[in-house]
Amino acid sequence: MRVGYPRALLYYHCFPFWKGFLEHFGHQVCVSGQTTKKLLESGIEKTVGEACLPVKIFFGHALALKDSVDAVFLPRLVSLEQKTYICPKFMGLPSMIRASLPELPPLIEVEVDARKDGLRGSNGLWRAACDAAVQLGDGSARQTKAAFHAGQSMQKEYEQMLLAGLDPNQAIASLDCRDSWDNRERDRQRSSGRRNGGKAEGRGTGESGLSNNMPKPNILLLGHPYNVHDGGFNLGLKTRLSGMHFRVTTMESVPARNALYEADKLSKAIFWSLGRRMVGTAMHLFAAEQVAGVMHLAAFGCGPDSMIGEVVEREARRLSIPFISLVLDEHTGEAGFLTRVEAFGEMLTRRGRL
Ligand code: SF4
């Protein structure tokens, strides 16, 4: 069966798990294309006005799959970790899609709720995987278990690539040609081992920290993965920053356990799964003095984003680290947006914090 997976929302977070799971059963996983103006407009047309831009983009991606797949995979996300929740818009998404896009092929709708975890440590994915197997008419419990492990292994591999410094889009592309990734990684480790006189090298900007020989100044680009890694949403911000000779660090390059350790030091716990990780990532990098400035990328009208931005901004101000909040919606003009980005970069350069 050709199963469609929209390239939006938590695609950048957990797609590899579902890819590994579905492919183990022999399904062909078809992902929608990049976010374009046309795709965005098709999403806006079908969504209620109050929806945030990432949800409108999701609608566009779901519609783009309409004629090319037999089913659309659509998890209902409730909680990604014990004692945390995800934004309510994710919980309502399958119902919104069902009501607004009747023209779509059948939906494979599973609930991911870590609070109802049937398997310790699976963060709700085991229960969701069993449900998906039933809806797809696939295999026995034993086969489901094997597919689940295939998904976990692909997700782990993906997260390792992110820690090693790959962009999520590159990492997902590499999952389709894993041999070449393995070889490249082996070569990279060999050559860096030679450069370091045989000493082990830390992973990217992760646990053991950024390289002492940072070739470029470092900006922490903070935001939900679908805002940070979708160039169609953020007007190609990452590419533009690289073009301005900045090094861009995102939350994926800090190990989750380090970020969560820092987030747990806050006097009041953050109960948004990704918000907790974003704040912890900033605190981890601030403590290690590895950031020249912070760009917080948010969607207009997003409650979690405004709260997370406020917490990080306060901490950045306390440490005299420059901070800018960039809020985007479908009406954001490219010229004004870029002027702010360039002015911030210029200010960092002048401050000599680089
Ligand atoms: S967290 Fe914010 S941007 Fe993400 S779906 Fe919810 S409201 Fe939209």
Side-chain angles (χ1 to χ4, degrees), residues 9 52 54-55 87 89-90 224 226 299 302 304-305:
L9 292 180
C52 61
V55 165
C87 164
K89 298 233 167 76
F90 283 89
H224 283 96
Y226 41 90
C302 169
D305 269 346

Side-chain angles (χ1 to χ4, degrees), residues 301-318:
C302 169
D305 269 346
S306 46
M307 192 197 78
I308 298 309
E310 181 70 27
V311 174
V312 176
E313 183 173 5
R314 279 189 198 183
E315 190 60 13
R317 279 190 198 285
R318 192 179 70 75

Side-chain angles (χ1 to χ4, degrees), residues 44-162:
I44 290 171
E45 205 178 299
K46 295 282 185 173
T47 333
V48 289
E50 305 82 61
C52 61
L53 184 55
V55 165
K56 291 175 183 170
I57 290 176
F58 188 93
F59 268 63
H61 280 276
L63 263 178
L65 291 164
K66 178 169 67 86
D67 299 319
S68 52
V69 297
D70 304 310
V72 175
F73 192 79
L74 195 56
R76 181 187 295 275
L77 303 167
V78 178
S79 165
L80 300 178
E81 291 161 5
Q82 292 286 343
K83 298 185 188 160
T84 65
Y85 285 91
I86 196 144
C87 164
K89 298 233 167 76
F90 283 89
M91 299 181 210
L93 193 64
S95 310
M96 284 163 70
I97 293 273
R98 203 179 282 284
S100 308
L101 305 179
E103 62 269 52
L104 286 186
L107 303 180
I108 309 294
E109 189 185 321
V110 296
E111 186 178 88
V112 178
D113 187 349
R115 298 164 316 138
K116 298 181 189 166
D117 206 348
L119 182 68
R120 205 160 167 239
S122 93
N123 287 336
L125 287 174
W126 169 242
R127 196 166 157 271
C130 293
D131 207 5
V134 171
Q135 289 187 47
L136 287 157
D138 284 327
S140 60
R142 200 166 148 194
Q143 285 170 314
T144 302
K145 203 168 176 184
F148 177 76
H149 288 310
Q152 278 192 316
S153 135
M154 196 171 276
Q155 180 72 23
K156 194 172 166 202
E157 197 175 339
Y158 170 66
E159 287 170 8
Q160 282 171 346
M161 289 190 227
L162 299 184

Side-chain angles (χ1 to χ4, degrees), residues 232-268:
F233 169 87
N234 63 35
L235 307 170
L237 181 59
K238 267 199 300 179
T239 313
R240 292 178 195 273
L241 288 172
S242 304
M244 291 161 66
H245 303 292
F246 286 102
R247 183 169 173 231
V248 180
T249 295
T250 61
M251 78 171 174
E252 290 81 7
S253 55
V254 169
R257 66 178 179 283
N258 293 21
L260 299 183
Y261 174 78
E262 291 295 334
D264 286 345
K265 291 182 184 170
L266 291 170
S267 54
K268 198 165 184 325

Side-chain angles (χ1 to χ4, degrees), residues 185-202 211 213 215:
E185 181 63 1
R186 210 174 300 126
D187 291 347
R188 192 184 70 82
Q189 285 176 359
R190 274 197 200 129
S191 67
S192 96
R194 277 199 293 275
R195 277 202 305 277
N196 297 341
K199 286 183 198 156
E201 188 198 37
S211 159
N213 303 318

Side-chain angles (χ1 to χ4, degrees), residues 212-234:
N212 289 330
N213 303 318
M214 270 199 306
K216 294 175 183 174
N218 192 23
I219 284 188
L220 171 60
L221 183 56
L222 205 61
H224 283 96
Y226 41 90
N227 294 346
V228 168
H229 302 296
D230 183 350
F233 169 87
N234 63 35

